[in-house]
Amino acid sequence: MADLNQDTVTEAVIAQMASTPDPRMRQVMESLVRHLHGFAREVKLTPEEWLAAIGFLTRVGQACTPYRQEFILLSDTLGLSRLVNLMDDQANRVGEATETSLLGPFYREAAPQFGYGDSIAVHARGPEMMLFGRVVNEKNEGVPNAIVEIWSTDADGAYDLQANDPSVMDMRGQFRTDAQGRYAIRTLIPLGYSIPMDGPVGDMVRAQRRHGFRPAHIHMLVGAEGYRELVTALYLGNDPHIDSDTVFGVSETLIVQPRTGLADSPDPGLPSVHYDFHISRRAPHDKSGRVGADPSKVTAE
Ligand code: BEZ
Ligand code: FE
């Protein structure tokens, strides 16, 4: 142990942690130490820089509340949430199942229930659109009674949680598919918005001269008995930030463009999007597809 130098300290730490009984924890921590030390060596980290980083991480923790998870926002803006989602999709997504996207911090449990074709805009006003299609299984058969949850910004790019009275729910709802697996939702055309920029993550994003915007999108959560819960979002292809999402949530297969005159739309006069959600059977080891900035799922011990 004596006479450690910068070439031997990494192995000394790993040797001391070798007593960890949980094999996965041992593997993760060994790799973490190797990469952290490698990073410090690569950038020749100075004590002042490391103190500044500790100050930043402290501010990130202090910004967290039951309604705000600044660490997940940090993970999102560093692309780590997307990386974890992509790896999980590659390991567990079956066949043609719809790709996942970030849950984000604005999901709420117990959203109001609506019927086929109803509007989720109870208070908000703005240009409307129709989202419709089917929830289908691996054989392209409609899944009846699937739950389709939607939450979206109003036409100004704000969620109900950001309104003056966040106890009022608006622009969100739960729908059930019919016997053929069909759903139809009337909503407002969403607007792109800035991630919360009033905390340390916002300071970081500004220091990097990034714009901080997410392209306009509609969040969706689709589930049915015996199927893997799908957490995803549909992105409007004409948004100026479609190729530079600050949290890296966009996939090509999730980009849509509302168009009027779609013959099979429940209201062809409205700009409409026909999108079928493909869900896959739940495997015995599956937990939930909810990977993202959902503060209610983060536990502090
Ligand atoms: C969202 O889409 O709601 C979101 C996702 C990650 C960070 C901030 C917002
Ligand atoms: Fe969002």
Side-chain angles (χ1 to χ4, degrees):
M1 176 62 94
D3 288 336
L4 287 177
N5 61 43
Q6 55 173 290
D7 297 320
T8 58
V9 62
T10 307
E11 292 307 326
V13 177
I14 288 165
Q16 195 175 108
M17 296 190 319
S19 55
T20 309
D22 181 331
R24 177 65 176 159
M25 183 179 178
R26 192 165 65 242
Q27 178 198 16
V28 169
M29 290 303 294
E30 172 174 338
S31 181
L32 179 70
V33 167
R34 281 196 197 287
H35 284 275
L36 269 180
H37 287 211
F39 153 75
R41 282 190 195 94
E42 183 179 315
V43 301
K44 298 192 170 46
L45 195 66
T46 67
E48 296 74 27
E49 287 167 340
W50 183 223
L51 270 183
I54 288 174
F56 172 75
L57 292 173
T58 304
R59 288 194 295 284
V60 171
Q62 287 165 339
C64 292
T65 72
Y67 300 100
R68 177 169 182 153
Q69 232 304 341
E70 194 78 358
F71 266 113
I72 296 187
L73 195 58
L74 180 60
S75 157
D76 293 343
T77 51
L78 295 179
L80 189 57
S81 305
R82 181 67 200 272
L83 173 62
V84 173
N85 267 4
L86 284 168
M87 290 190 299
D88 186 59
D89 262 13
Q90 198 174 30
N92 297 312
R93 194 161 65 90
V94 184
E96 296 298 300
T98 301
E99 286 187 73
T100 62
S101 194
L102 303 177
L103 185 69
F106 299 113
Y107 174 72
R108 297 170 95 165
E109 308 257 343
Q113 297 179 6
F114 291 105
Y116 188 88
D118 283 349
S119 174
I120 59 165
V122 178
H123 302 285
R125 292 288 167 263
E128 288 189 303
M129 63 172 279
M130 180 67 81
L131 179 60
F132 70 99
R134 291 193 309 154
V135 175
V136 295
N137 65 15
E138 67 287 353
K139 294 186 195 141
N140 210 29
E141 299 161 338
V143 180
N145 207 33
I147 189 155
V148 178
E149 277 197 68
I150 174 172
W151 64 107
S152 179
T153 64
D154 59 20
D156 297 323
Y159 286 93
D160 55 3
L161 275 169
Q162 298 169 304
N164 285 339
D165 180 2
S167 68
V168 177
M169 286 210 198
D170 198 15
M171 293 300 296
R172 62 181 71 236
Q174 301 184 16
F175 292 74
R176 290 275 177 182
T177 54
D178 68 9
Q180 281 80 48
R182 291 178 306 195
Y183 74 93
I185 302 168
R186 191 182 275 259
T187 181
L188 304 185
I189 297 179
L191 202 69
Y193 60 85
S194 167
I195 62 162
M197 292 288 280
D198 56 344
V201 173
D203 293 340
M204 178 190 82
V205 167
R206 261 189 302 275
Q208 294 168 332
R209 304 293 186 271
R210 294 160 69 181
H211 53 64
F213 272 81
R214 295 216 69 201
H217 58 274
I218 301 171
H219 292 275
M220 307 293 303
L221 194 152
V222 182
E225 194 64 37
Y227 289 86
R228 189 162 186 253
E229 187 177 67
L230 170 69
V231 177
T232 191
L234 299 178
Y235 293 87
L236 298 199
N238 63 353
D239 189 286
H241 301 115
I242 193 74
D243 292 321
S244 59
D245 182 5
T246 306
V247 297
F248 308 97
V250 183
S251 297
E252 207 63 47
T253 60
L254 300 176
I255 297 178
V256 296
Q257 199 53 61
R259 283 190 294 122
T260 48
L262 285 194
D264 52 349
S265 169
D267 188 341
L270 274 188
S272 301
V273 168
H274 182 168
Y275 200 92
D276 291 342
F277 293 97
H278 294 249
I279 55 177
S280 52
R281 304 264 173 197
R282 186 191 291 273
H285 64 276
D286 268 357
K287 293 190 183 86
S288 159
R290 293 186 191 190
V291 188
D294 177 9
S296 68
K297 298 288 174 278
V298 179
T299 52
E301 283 167 22

